[in-house]
Amino acid sequence: MTIKLPQNQKIVFETISPTEEKTFDQISEETNLKFEYISGASFALEEQGLISITTHSISEFSLTDEGSHYLQHSLPELRLYEAVRLLGELGTKFDLSQAIDQSSLDKNEVSVALSNYARKDYGTINQGKIVSSRDFDTQSDPEQVALTSINQGTEIDQSVIARLESRGLININQLTKRSIILTKKGASERKKGVQISESITSLTPQMLSQGNWEHLEYATYNVEAEAAPYIGGRVHLLRETAEKVKDTLVGMGFQEMEGPHVDSEFWINDCLFMPQDHPARTHWDQFALSVSPAQNLPPDLVKKVQSAHLDGVGTDGDGYHSPWSEAVALRVGLRGHTTSLSMRYLSGQAIGPLEPPQRFFSVEKVYRNDTLDPTHLLEFFQIEGWVMAENLSVRDLMGTFTEFYRQFGITNLKFKPHYNPYTEPSFELFGEHPRTGKLIEIGNSGLFRDEVLRPLGITCDVMAWGLALERLLMLMYGFEDIRDVHGTLCDLQLLRSTGVSY
Ligand code: PHE
């Protein structure tokens, strides 16, 4: 009896070879059938013992931007080595700074060069001096050679792959490839010929109304058959992380604030005891809007804020001794921080007067007229927060940050004293970049001054902060340029493959 197979299986069965393995991709190309059909048909044929499937796992390598750069310009440590050799004899001590000048490496490249020079045993670097201690051909450096091989798709020295990956010079993509070959049983069945089976893959309304559905033979589905990767839409990593931040803060007992992106300078700056002639209040920093001035500011509060600016608060208070004009306070712009929301809430204007203890947060966009670079955008998400309670101290702030960041796997925070017109004491927060080891600033914080709190009618302490969500992402996922996740230069592969863990 000749064997009966559904159409796709018949095509695959007749295409494959008894002597030479073919991959799903090859067969898909030869038969013009989609990859997923080949995969489905192959698994069904394997189940019947007609073919056998072999699975190969394959690593594909590609150069990162940095890798491509070194492909062209040579690895920094090699350039440093060459520079030292140009300075003079093997074994001679030269000034490190002289070698660096000679090498024309840029700042980042210098730190890469320094950390690899001794590791590769080119020589030693000690107390500002550098020595080259062996003679070799830089062209034959195994890591440099591997960059070329990867670029050309030729055989790669496997022993340097892990190192190149940890240096961030290559991406490794693990693929599973399957190939198939005819079995003995398959070959003898094929000799006898193959018929198309009448089994059907979809039921039509006609089959149902005519009643013949009962007598038909149905194709079985193989739900484990491999399909081509499906790249669908997904929530952006930044939004996803913002949600996790919100959940985390809610878990720590905070409530969410909301409020306008466009606001009066009164809420953005004046309530925060920012003098009206402060440099951060110019167009160099803030985006002003050419719209009519704000209305409906609470007149009592305006008076108290004005008096804090002019005369300070309390008996021994002092103000700025510079003019304060309501017209400036009424100007409207894009908020440069969400501390404007904190002011609206603390003043009682947002949801009514608040009694301590209270904890509030927001994770919202802010806008600054910065220069675009790897760590600055013109807009970013700020994680704003404050706690209102009796007897707060810097220890409470540090503890809150330690607890918050711990939930994102960040445990090596550093704190640095800082100045803000509105907090005293103040400190900036730093975290270590997981890849480069550099400290990056991730936030700013402090305890609000009396000059801020008194006009708002608050007599207890308020500790507060603004953290950058994008910087938190950098620490969590190890990318080095904010533009990897934002805008036209974003790294789609990173955005597709990185998920937030809860
Ligand atoms: N507004 C500050 C900033 O944008 C953050 C901050 C908020 C600092 C509250 C102290 C208190 O950097």
Side-chain angles (χ1 to χ4, degrees):
M1 229 185 56
T2 57
I3 191 168
K4 280 189 178 175
L5 294 174
Q7 177 144 12
N8 289 345
Q9 288 182 36
K10 178 172 184 281
I11 296 175
V12 173
F13 189 49
E14 289 178 335
T15 311
I16 57 176
S17 146
T19 52
E20 183 203 345
E21 289 197 345
K22 287 187 184 175
T23 62
F24 284 4
D25 289 318
Q26 274 171 322
I27 298 172
S28 164
E29 209 169 282
E30 278 178 38
T31 57
N32 256 332
L33 275 181
K34 281 193 187 158
F35 182 90
E36 47 267 45
Y37 293 152
I38 303 295
S39 162
S42 299
F43 282 104
L45 289 167
E46 188 192 36
E47 229 164 72
Q48 301 164 67
L50 300 173
I51 69 168
S52 80
I53 303 183
T54 337
T55 307
H56 313 270
S57 87
I58 299 175
S59 309
E60 258 184 13
F61 306 109
S62 59
L63 299 181
T64 59
D65 289 347
E66 193 180 348
S68 310
H69 183 78
Y70 300 153
L71 172 70
Q72 265 188 13
H73 301 280
S74 254
L75 288 162
E77 64 272 21
L78 293 173
R79 283 151 62 198
L80 182 62
Y81 172 82
E82 280 165 359
V84 179
R85 293 304 309 274
L86 279 177
L87 292 176
E89 300 270 300
L90 276 183
T92 316
K93 281 188 183 170
F94 298 105
D95 275 341
L96 181 57
S97 52
Q98 196 190 351
I100 289 171
D101 283 348
Q102 169 82 28
S103 69
S104 67
L105 291 166
D106 71 26
K107 223 162 99 206
N108 286 335
E109 291 173 330
V110 167
S111 60
V112 176
L114 295 181
S115 59
N116 287 287
Y117 189 87
R119 170 179 71 82
K120 289 190 171 176
D121 205 23
Y122 294 169
T124 49
I125 301 172
N126 212 341
Q127 297 180 328
K129 300 279 182 203
I130 186 163
V131 177
S132 67
S133 52
R134 68 184 172 100
D135 191 22
F136 75 102
D137 172 15
T138 49
Q139 294 300 312
S140 64
D141 176 84
E143 291 172 27
Q144 187 70 42
V145 171
L147 293 181
T148 312
S149 316
I150 288 169
N151 186 49
Q152 295 175 345
T154 53
E155 186 95 19
I156 303 153
D157 174 0
Q158 295 294 325
S159 67
V160 297
I161 290 297
R163 173 70 67 178
L164 290 179
E165 191 191 22
S166 72
R167 290 184 69 171
L169 306 185
I170 63 169
N171 292 316
I172 305 182
N173 196 6
Q174 295 291 357
L175 299 174
T176 303
K177 289 239 181 231
R178 294 201 164 82
S179 52
I180 55 179
I181 194 162
L182 208 56
T183 57
K184 272 214 178 96
K185 176 180 173 196
S188 73
E189 289 292 346
R190 201 162 75 172
K191 272 203 201 106
K192 297 188 227 156
V194 186
Q195 281 185 6
I196 293 199
S197 76
E198 261 93 74
S199 69
I200 54 162
T201 50
S202 52
L203 204 56
T204 63
Q206 284 80 4
M207 294 172 189
L208 291 174
S209 60
Q210 289 163 8
N212 60 343
W213 62 272
E214 257 184 298
H215 314 292
L216 294 171
E217 198 183 309
Y218 295 95
T220 53
Y221 285 104
N222 179 354
V223 291
E224 283 167 18
E226 204 173 324
Y230 174 72
I231 299 171
R234 60 168 287 186
V235 178
H236 193 283
L237 187 58
L238 197 53
R239 293 265 173 206
E240 215 175 12
T241 314
E243 288 308 313
K244 175 158 181 188
V245 167
K246 291 183 188 182
D247 283 355
T248 304
L249 287 167
V250 168
M252 289 170 71
F254 286 77
Q255 285 173 270
E256 187 166 6
M257 304 186 281
E258 51 183 40
H261 293 237
V262 167
D263 212 345
S264 63
E265 285 208 34
F266 180 72
W267 294 115
I268 304 174
N269 292 318
D270 292 290
C271 284
L272 283 159
F273 199 53
M274 294 273 283
Q276 291 196 332
D277 57 2
H278 193 279
R281 297 188 64 160
T282 64
H283 64 278
W284 294 109
D285 247 51
Q286 38 180 34
F287 290 116
L289 297 179
S290 60
V291 295
S292 4
Q295 286 164 8
N296 306 329
L297 291 185
D300 272 5
L301 182 58
V302 172
K303 249 189 240 122
K304 287 181 194 155
V305 167
Q306 171 173 25
S307 134
H309 278 247
L310 294 179
D311 306 318
V313 298
T315 44
D316 57 353
D318 203 358
Y320 283 123
H321 305 284
S322 59
W324 190 90
S325 115
E326 190 167 341
V328 172
L330 291 174
R331 289 195 306 220
V332 170
L334 286 170
R335 64 184 178 206
H337 52 200
T338 34
T339 321
S340 53
L341 301 187
S342 302
M343 292 301 106
R344 285 171 168 270
Y345 276 68
L346 284 166
S347 70
Q349 291 289 315
I351 53 168
L354 299 171
E355 288 299 319
Q358 297 285 346
R359 298 186 184 92
F360 275 86
F361 80 96
S362 64
V363 184
E364 290 289 342
K365 274 253 162 98
V366 300
Y367 310 86
R368 289 188 194 172
N369 196 2
D370 265 325
T371 308
L372 209 60
D373 72 17
T375 50
H376 292 89
L377 296 171
L378 301 195
E379 53 178 80
F380 63 94
F381 279 96
Q382 195 163 44
I383 306 168
E384 186 81 25
W386 53 264
V387 175
M388 175 205 246
E390 301 292 344
N391 296 323
L392 290 173
S393 76
V394 162
R395 289 243 130 243
D396 297 297
L397 255 179
M398 289 167 124
T400 305
F401 291 143
T402 305
E403 172 60 16
F404 173 74
Y405 282 102
R406 190 184 59 77
Q407 306 207 28
F408 294 87
I410 295 159
T411 50
N412 47 3
L413 296 178
K414 300 265 187 300
F415 304 98
K416 180 179 138 193
H418 183 57
Y419 171 78
N420 291 313
Y422 37 96
T423 49
E424 181 61 36
S426 317
F427 61 80
E428 282 180 335
L429 213 63
F430 291 80
E432 201 175 281
H433 191 282
R435 200 121 96 212
T436 62
K438 276 189 208 142
L439 283 182
I440 58 172
E441 191 201 324
I442 53 177
N444 174 16
S445 65
L447 272 86
F448 280 130
R449 300 173 69 102
D450 282 346
E451 285 83 349
V452 172
L453 295 179
R454 290 287 164 75
L456 300 172
I458 296 169
T459 48
C460 64
D461 291 328
V462 178
M463 64 184 201
W465 55 86
L467 317 172
L469 179 66
E470 284 80 353
R471 302 281 178 90
L472 169 63
L473 250 75
M474 290 173 107
L475 298 191
M476 287 170 72
Y477 307 114
F479 58 87
E480 283 164 58
D481 194 321
I482 283 190
R483 292 166 294 187
D484 284 346
V485 290
H486 262 296
T488 51
L489 297 176
C490 74
D491 178 349
L492 280 177
Q493 183 60 29
L494 174 105
L495 293 177
R496 281 183 181 137
S497 60
T498 312
V500 179
S501 47
Y502 278 81

